[in-house]
């Protein structure tokens, strides 16, 4: 098999450190120090680490490659206008962490503990952005049809995990606010607050370009994976199908309700990274090598444009 430039990069042991350095530079150029985005950056770094763990634990790519976490960093930098949002950064971290524990329950209908942690983490994220709860039905669908872990025991564990963070918040409010639970009314109002028709007028052109780029990468990765999925184990196929499911759901929500961009675009970045990482690492033709170079070039251009529009440096 011919190893082209894309394969040498994907299998290189210095790729992830180099991309990590690139990510740090982008954060600095966006004004991380001046705006004190230290917590946001910490969440970004932890999420990148969890993406690497997600790849390693599930062997998402059947050769040595760090392209999943590298793709996550590169795509996140292309959408660097999301950096200022602390709530979004926390939700993104919680999404990856919950997927990490969810996939560990594969074919285990007795995994009440891991299921509890999965939904507790997702619920924690919803404390910061309640729209994270929109992924809740997807997780139950995954448990039933892709992870094969649904049972009475695990379903009850998921409900307990979902309730626990709100139980503590309610207890704190009862003590601190002397029984005033109006926080929950305000918090959950936005869960079913929809805008029709959708207002796209306030969205900059750069955001459209980044979304279009991510959608193209998703479609490219999906087509490649579906065509070559017979080479992967059944468990890996099921995990990738959940990535596609989440990506499609997030895209539909984002189109219908563009005000959810802070959450839905982050979810798309999470699930697009393994798809395009699989494509880059396991193809080796002249066409795909050229496509890889184009992907890198477009990523860099979009990152520069996003920095230009979101930084006070320029």
């Amino acid at each position: 098999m011919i190893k082209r430039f894309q394969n040498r990069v994907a299998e290189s042991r210095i790729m992830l450190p180099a991309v990590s350095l690139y990510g740090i530079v982008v954060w600095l150029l966006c004004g991380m120090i001046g705006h004190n985005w230290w917590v946001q950056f910490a969440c970004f770094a932890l999420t990148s680490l969890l993406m690497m763990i997600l790849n390693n634990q599930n062997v998402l790519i059947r050769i040595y490659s760090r392209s999943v976490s590298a793709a996550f960093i590169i795509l996140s930098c292309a959408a660097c206008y999301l950096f200022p949002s602390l709530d979004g950064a926390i939700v993104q971290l919680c999404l990856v962490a919950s997927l990490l524990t969810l996939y560990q329950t594969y074919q285990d209908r007795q995994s009440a503990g891991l299921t509890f942690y999965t939904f507790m983490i997702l619920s924690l994220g919803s404390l910061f952005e309640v729209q994270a709860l929109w992924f809740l039905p997807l997780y139950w669908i995954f448990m039933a049809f892709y992870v094969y872990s649904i049972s009475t025991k695990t379903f009850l564990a998921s409900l307990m995990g979902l309730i626990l963070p709100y139980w503590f918040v309610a207890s704190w409010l009862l003590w601190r606010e002397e029984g005033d639970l109006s926080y929950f009314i305000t918090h959950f109002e936005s869960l079913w607050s929809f805008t029709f028709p959708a207002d796209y007028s306030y969205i900059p052109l750069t955001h459209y370009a980044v979304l279009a780029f991510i959608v193209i990468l998703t479609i490219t990765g999906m087509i490649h994976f579906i065509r070559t999925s017979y080479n992967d184990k059944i468990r890996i196929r099921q995990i990738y199908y959940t990535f596609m499911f989440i990506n499609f759901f997030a895209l539909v929500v984002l189109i219908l309700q563009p005000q959810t961009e802070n959450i839905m675009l982050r979810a798309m970045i999470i699930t697009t990274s393994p798809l395009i990482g699989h494509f880059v690492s396991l193809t080796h033709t002249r066409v795909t090598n050229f496509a890889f170079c184009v992907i890198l070039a477009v990523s860099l251009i979009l990152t520069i444009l996003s920095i230009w529009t979101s930084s006070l440096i320029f």
Side-chain angles (χ1 to χ4, degrees), residues 10 15 79 104 123 151 159 180 243:
M15 176 185 63
Q104 292 182 50
S123 183
S151 66
L159 293 178
D180 182 10
F243 292 151

Side-chain angles (χ1 to χ4, degrees), residues 59-164:
V59 195
L60 296 178
I61 300 177
R62 56 184 180 272
I63 63 172
Y64 175 86
S65 177
R66 293 286 183 261
S67 56
V68 172
S69 44
F72 171 79
I73 294 172
I74 292 172
L75 293 180
S76 295
C77 290
C80 61
Y81 47 81
L82 299 176
F83 286 175
S85 173
L86 176 59
D87 291 346
I90 293 174
V91 172
Q92 190 174 44
L93 176 62
C94 289
L95 281 175
V96 178
S98 63
L99 289 174
L100 190 62
T101 54
L102 176 65
Y103 296 142
Q104 292 182 50
T105 68
Y106 183 74
Q107 289 187 336
D108 186 359
R109 290 182 168 85
Q110 302 301 314
S111 56
L114 285 172
T115 303
F116 172 83
Y117 292 131
T118 297
F119 285 83
M120 182 190 70
I121 294 169
L122 184 64
S123 183
L124 280 172
S126 72
L127 290 176
F128 297 89
E129 289 281 359
V130 70
Q131 287 81 8
L133 291 177
W134 288 353
F135 293 102
L136 184 61
L138 296 187
Y139 277 51
W140 281 323
I141 292 172
F142 296 160
M143 289 173 62
F145 299 105
Y146 295 97
V147 183
Y148 309 120
S149 64
I150 194 72
S151 66
T152 302
K153 185 176 182 179
T154 55
F155 180 73
L156 291 176
S158 70
L159 293 178
M160 293 175 63
L162 183 65
I163 293 171
L164 184 64

